[in-house]
Amino acid sequence: MRIGIIGAGQLGQMLGFAARDLGVECRFLDPSISPPARVCGDVLQRPFDDTAALSELAADCGVITYEFENIPIKALQQIESKVAVYPPVDALRQAQDRLDEKRLFEQLGIPLPLYQAINTRDDLSAAVDVLGLPMVIKTRRLGYDGKGQFVVRATADVDAAWRQLGTQPLIAEQWVPFDYEVSSIGVRNVDGEIRIYALSHNVHEDGILRISRSPVDAPPLVEKATDYVQRLLLHLDYVGVLALELFVKDDQLLANEFAPRVHNSGHWTIEGAATSQFENHLRAVMNLPLGATANHGHAGMINLIGEIPDRVRALGESHLHDYGKVPRPGRKLGHVTVLSDTAAGRDARVEQIYKSVTQSTRGDGTTA
Ligand code: AMP
């Protein structure tokens, strides 16, 4: 079977490597020049909503999947009648709109931060009364890695938030003074088989993921997160990998968002789990039995953002992934995974590598 993948970035590349190991051919659609996944298969260099290109991909492939979320829903609906598209287009539609996403969490009994839909400047003032300060304003659509967000810390910030974001539909969210952030990654195949990976503890800076560690030694949280992911997978009649990002506050989990795709916080699964999220995503969409998701010891993943320093390339006993991208401040260029028999050993190694990564330049390109 040939798999069509919309998007040929680093997630497409890692899907492509997993496909190669399964003996499966991939074809990508991506308008970028020289995207990372070019090393794994033919790339149709056309816009994501190019009707002719999508039809060509649909005719040529047994199943279509995607590696990023900002794909026009209409484009996918156009090919759905010709070829299976997984994850389901309706799951993507709900993930694309933060308001729909939050309503879905509520419908499924998944706890989440208090929020308000914002359409007018008056809504914003009213939200301050309901949610208190600080609160976070987010665009309903097209936000990622903390982009399209404004933290309102004082009433005086409300005007600035409205000026910056007020031209589009918004939501306001209660600020969560979380202890830490986690993600739970689940996968479901066409027949309905479900597997869930160990929880990842994720550290973000400026809205961008910097470090993931797995497993998390907190059985009650693992149990809750697993339950929430299962509710999503079942309700959405989901096929593929899904990542649910959550805030941890004491023994409570609050859902932040879900991604209907393979996820950066699951990169450690390539070396750190029996079957990677990428292989299991492909297995799911091809309706093959899913692979085991158990951890190989304690895994840590450090994102390489803005540059890949030579000293990181020279590191031993770690797994470097260079996506082959042109360096640019703030750009995810690669990652490093480390494994250890103990959590303490893993944490020491992660800290050492993170220091090395941020030593001369910070991920955003500024000097530390
Ligand atoms: P998002 O784009 O919604 O995933 O937000 C990016 C990051 O901003 C999250 O991973 C959190 O670190 C932070 N963040 C987002 N929403 C909130 C919130 N309501 N309270 C506190 N931190 C938040």
Side-chain angles (χ1 to χ4, degrees), residues 98 136 138 146 149 173-176 178 181 204 247 256-257:
R98 288 188 192 269
V136 195
K138 300 180 180 177
Q149 298 191 12
E173 252 177 59
Q174 176 189 44
W175 180 259
V176 181
F178 55 76
E181 294 180 82
H204 295 83
F247 301 125
N256 179 27
E257 59 184 6

Side-chain angles (χ1 to χ4, degrees), residues 275-333:
T275 313
S276 79
Q277 62 164 345
F278 302 99
E279 177 175 342
N280 261 339
H281 183 76
L282 298 172
R283 287 180 165 274
V285 304
M286 291 190 292
N287 201 25
L288 294 173
L290 299 177
T293 46
N295 281 43
H296 288 152
H298 297 260
M301 190 276 325
I302 302 101
N303 264 343
L304 301 172
I305 298 170
E307 69 160 343
I308 303 183
D310 285 343
R311 61 183 172 280
V312 172
R313 290 188 190 281
L315 288 170
E317 291 174 43
S318 60
H319 303 273
L320 172 69
H321 296 254
D322 179 339
Y323 309 147
K325 288 175 164 180
V326 176
R328 208 167 49 216
R331 197 172 198 205
K332 288 177 185 169
L333 302 179

Side-chain angles (χ1 to χ4, degrees), residues 207-227:
I208 303 179
L209 180 68
R210 307 285 161 157
I211 296 169
S212 291
R213 298 181 186 90
S214 183
V216 174
D217 184 17
L221 297 182
V222 172
E223 199 180 312
K224 279 185 191 163
T226 300
D227 174 33

Side-chain angles (χ1 to χ4, degrees), residues 99-117:
L99 185 58
D100 290 347
E101 188 179 38
K102 286 180 187 304
R103 287 181 174 151
L104 176 67
F105 291 149
E106 282 175 325
Q107 186 190 345
L108 298 180
I110 300 173
L112 72 164
L114 286 177
Y115 71 93
Q116 297 272 294

